[in-house]
Amino acid sequence: MRVLLSVIYPVLSLTIFGLYPSMTIGPKEGWQVYSSAQDADGRCICTVVAPEQSLCSRDAKSRQLRQLLEKVQNMSQSIEVLNLRTQRDFQYVIKMENQMKGLRTKFKQIEDDRKSVMARNFQELKEKMDELKPLIPVLEQYKTDAALVSHFKEEIRNLSAVLTSIQEELGAYDYDQLYQRVLRLDGRLRSCMGKLTCGKLMKITGPATMKTSGTRFGAWMTDPLATTRSNRVWYMDGYTNSKIVREYKTMEDFVAGVVSRTYSLPFKWEGTNHMVYNGSLFYNKYQSNIIVKYSFDSGSVLAQRALEFAGFHNMYPYTWGGFSDIDVMADELGMWAVYATNQNAGNVVVSQIDPDTLHVLQTWNTEYSKRNAGEAFMICGTLYITNSHLSGAKVYYAYSTKTSTYEYTDIPFHNQYFHMSMLDYNARERALYAWNNGHQVIFNVTLFHVIKTDDDDS
């Protein structure tokens, strides 16, 4: 048996069938079977959406329980304050009670001998009445506290009903046991997903606009080979006559405009089709077909090499021009260069490149005109070419270096800001980075995978 999976990165969600019969966890909270069916051969076809590491940390029930706990804690604090205030007022009332008894005695004395003590006791009576005035707001506070206690009683009844409902829904399962079962399921699914290193592009969604900055043309990128702790972003505005690269420690810093370092390259660049790969910047040297490898750590050029016969300086650019003749890129299989030559009649040439020496390892000649290509990117050894850099663009052509064959495709994507001058795939994030008319955006991709199960060997 073979299972066909279409995997969406990096959107995240989970539906747990059987464990939570009436609960679906939201799109950022776990795994989800996006769709499932059987094809003509009886194979199971399903789409899986991969989760973040914090699986179930924000699922509906735990969130509801946390909210209930916060309510109980708030009520407990309010009741504690009410208790302290009541004790204080109770002591005050006792004092007022003694004063009222003394007042009653004074009234009796006045009644017994009105004339002899009237003048003398009148002043004492007035003083006693003044002492009783503070009792009025205390009694008013008692009325408020009594209403608050009634409100707390109602809240407790509501909380009891909700907790009873949750207990009935969970049934015989202990919540911790359910959580552990979900974690085990998550581990098994992650193990399966670890095998999904490559797949066929099926869909492009988005984009998400990260920032609006710079000119109409430029490049921005992250390193697909960086560790999980490193999330640096690099930014190169313009397509020619510049040497300045800005570095940001995180995506958050990039969005906020907090630059951590600025590099001045030894050579100007040409085009916008650069990449950062394993800590080094790879770019096309100005007015040449030379690829330069520049180390950010050492601040020096580690290698530079010409692409034999490759056109440059708007000889064979993408449809938008901008000296986009040579496009360096990377995917799950390594580093690539996409360009055109006279020998191949100006059609697209794909070469796999050794990232250490910049030697060409292998080359494939396609029949797709470089000047008719809007942008291009590699995923799992397959070159995908868009038919335009303007609105209405779609992925129109795919060339497999594994089989040396091509096919025409129809995969639309939303060119939100009407002009695309850079579109590159990041294998670590399974996403497309794009420079969209002065907007830095990210597209999600859906990949189609074929996974062999244990049954295939029997």
Side-chain angles (χ1 to χ4, degrees), residues 181-194:
R181 290 181 63 179
V182 172
L183 287 182
R184 288 195 295 271
L185 174 61
D186 175 51
R188 292 173 63 188
L189 287 173
R190 285 190 179 280
S191 176
C192 177
M193 292 296 290

Side-chain angles (χ1 to χ4, degrees), residues 95-121:
K95 180 180 177 181
M96 291 297 104
E97 184 181 11
N98 293 332
Q99 290 177 342
M100 292 180 72
K101 288 179 180 179
L103 182 60
R104 186 170 55 186
T105 301
K106 290 295 180 182
F107 273 117
K108 188 174 182 181
Q109 290 176 356
I110 292 171
E111 188 178 356
D112 291 343
D113 192 357
R114 243 175 248 178
K115 292 181 181 179
S116 61
V117 296
M118 178 65 75
R120 179 166 50 87
N121 286 344

Side-chain angles (χ1 to χ4, degrees), residues 283-294:
Y283 70 97
N284 180 201
K285 187 177 179 180
Y286 181 63
Q287 290 189 339
S288 75
N289 58 6
I290 295 173
I291 297 176
V292 177
K293 178 181 181 181
Y294 174 83

Side-chain angles (χ1 to χ4, degrees), residues 18-30:
L19 298 183
Y20 300 93
S22 62
M23 184 184 83
T24 300
I25 298 175
K28 291 187 178 179
E29 294 159 2

Side-chain angles (χ1 to χ4, degrees), residues 10 204-205 207-208 210 218-224 230-235 250-251 254 272-275 327 375-377 413 420-436 439-445:
I204 300 174
T205 57
M210 306 307 296
W220 73 296
M221 63 219 80
T222 59
D223 188 346
S230 176
N231 295 296
R232 290 185 293 175
V233 178
W234 290 272
Y235 178 91
T250 64
M251 186 65 73
F254 172 70
T272 58
N273 306 115
H274 331 295
M275 74 165 184
D327 191 348
E375 277 291 338
F377 54 90
F413 62 94
M420 196 77 67
S421 62
M422 168 246 175
L423 187 63
D424 281 334
Y425 176 66
N426 185 298
R428 183 180 73 162
E429 301 174 22
R430 305 288 173 92
L432 293 171
Y433 279 62
W435 191 288
N436 197 185
H439 303 266
Q440 292 74 52
V441 304
I442 295 178
F443 293 91
N444 292 329
V445 298

